[in-house]
Amino acid sequence: MRAGVFLPPGRTRAPGSRPERGAARLPITKDAYLGAYLQHELARIYIQVGEPDKGLDLLEPLLKIPYFLSSGWLKIDPAFEPLRNNARFQKLPAP
């Protein structure tokens, strides 16, 4: 699933949006790789629409399981640029 954010100005998202439903239907407990990927993508969407805390809520557990994402990657990936000055983001463990 490659989800993008195409919303009118001033609108963040619709409750129960398609990406949220997709991530809920395939949690990490059912599919460790794809579930983690869907959670990762949903976190990116939250960050893009200006909900960094929800994004970080999803990213923090991903850093604790075997998955390709690392705090070092988060710090160089331009998709996570909006989090650079976030205190919670800066407290993520070093790679």
Side-chain angles (χ1 to χ4, degrees):
M1 172 177 96
R2 180 51 99 175
V5 179
F6 302 103
L7 298 170
R11 183 168 170 204
T12 55
R13 65 182 174 82
S17 66
R18 186 174 290 177
E20 289 171 331
R21 289 191 311 261
R25 290 178 77 180
L26 192 61
I28 294 172
T29 55
K30 282 189 177 180
D31 186 321
Y33 179 76
L34 192 54
Y37 175 75
L38 294 174
Q39 190 170 326
H40 177 186
E41 289 298 308
L42 184 56
R44 290 174 62 146
I45 291 169
Y46 279 138
I47 292 162
Q48 290 175 5
V49 298
E51 297 187 35
D53 288 328
K54 286 185 178 184
L56 285 167
D57 288 343
L58 294 171
L59 289 174
E60 288 170 338
L62 290 177
L63 295 173
K64 297 175 183 174
I65 63 171
Y67 183 61
F68 78 89
L69 195 62
S70 70
S71 58
W73 178 258
L74 293 175
K75 291 176 180 169
I76 63 168
D77 186 338
F80 299 100
E81 181 65 33
L83 296 178
R84 300 286 191 262
N85 295 324
N86 182 299
R88 203 168 141 199
F89 180 77
Q90 292 173 350
K91 290 179 184 177
L92 292 175

